[in-house]
Amino acid sequence: MIHTAEQLIASTQANVQSFKSLSSHAFMGLERLAKLNAAFSKAAMLGAFQHTQELLDIKNPQQLLVQQVGLLKPLGEKSSAYAWEVYALAFESGTEFSNAAQAKLAETQRQAFNTLERVVESLPLGSESAMNTLKNAMSAGQEAIVSAQGSAKQAVELAESSFANMSKHVGAATTATAKTH
């Protein structure tokens, strides 16, 4: 495959721009994660101080038990909310990178097929069957990639559903525990 200097420069510029965009998105995600961690840590610290103050105000063992059980529900809810936020950040970043990879793959496949077409046009007579075999193999590979992408998407959806279900049950369990005590 012969490329002109302009094609190579254009391709390099597109790749640099794509890398810049993905890098910016990754750093924005890291900034959001840092803010989330700081907010969660601050809330946990303030909650610990409040809990300590409440413990100091306890007059009998019954109040101590109620106080300890009362701590479980907010802790479970906050942990679940934090996990959801982290998951949302990771999912958003993963989607961005996945879309970029899929676009790059589609462009590469298009270029490969175009190159193959140019090669086929310049081949001597009688080599059509070999090139058709190669084309079929490339098409089968492309179909396998599409199938794998669909399977990966289903796996992500299943994991998302399982995570939501688990979070729901954890919240219900902490509420039930708080109510029984």
Side-chain angles (χ1 to χ4, degrees), residues 2-31:
I2 300 173
H3 290 287
T4 65
E6 291 84 17
Q7 288 173 321
L8 290 174
I9 290 170
S11 175
T12 301
Q13 287 175 337
N15 288 336
V16 167
Q17 187 61 32
S18 177
F19 182 70
K20 178 184 174 188
S21 173
L22 290 175
S23 296
S24 295
H25 187 76
F27 278 108
M28 285 190 319
L30 287 173
E31 287 173 351

Side-chain angles (χ1 to χ4, degrees), residues 21-119:
S21 173
L22 290 175
S23 296
S24 295
H25 187 76
F27 278 108
M28 285 190 319
L30 287 173
E31 287 173 351
R32 288 175 53 199
L33 181 61
K35 285 179 184 177
L36 176 66
N37 284 337
F40 185 77
S41 296
K42 181 180 179 181
M45 180 185 67
L46 293 175
F49 287 142
Q50 179 183 355
H51 182 68
T52 301
Q53 186 60 48
E54 290 170 358
L55 286 175
L56 293 173
D57 294 337
I58 290 177
K59 305 290 186 229
N60 62 47
Q62 181 67 18
Q63 287 178 328
L64 177 63
L65 182 60
V66 170
Q67 179 63 27
Q68 290 300 95
V69 172
L71 177 67
L72 291 177
K73 183 179 179 191
L75 184 62
E77 290 171 350
K78 288 176 185 176
S79 296
S80 181
Y82 173 78
W84 268 112
E85 289 289 328
V86 170
Y87 172 77
L89 285 171
F91 183 77
E92 182 182 317
S93 294
T95 300
E96 181 76 21
F97 284 99
S98 176
N99 289 343
Q102 287 176 355
K104 194 64 166 170
L105 179 63
E107 175 65 20
T108 301
Q109 288 173 339
R110 186 187 60 75
Q111 289 175 351
F113 277 110
N114 288 344
T115 300
L116 186 60
E117 287 297 323
R118 286 194 302 270
V119 168

Side-chain angles (χ1 to χ4, degrees), residues 135-170:
K135 280 183 180 180
N136 289 339
M138 287 181 71
S139 293
Q142 189 173 15
E143 289 172 12
I145 289 170
V146 169
S147 175
Q149 287 171 340
S151 296
K153 186 176 181 179
Q154 286 177 342
V156 167
E157 289 170 355
L158 178 63
E160 204 172 54
S161 172
S162 296
F163 188 75
N165 195 20
M166 179 193 68
S167 294
K168 181 175 138 186
H169 283 76
V170 166

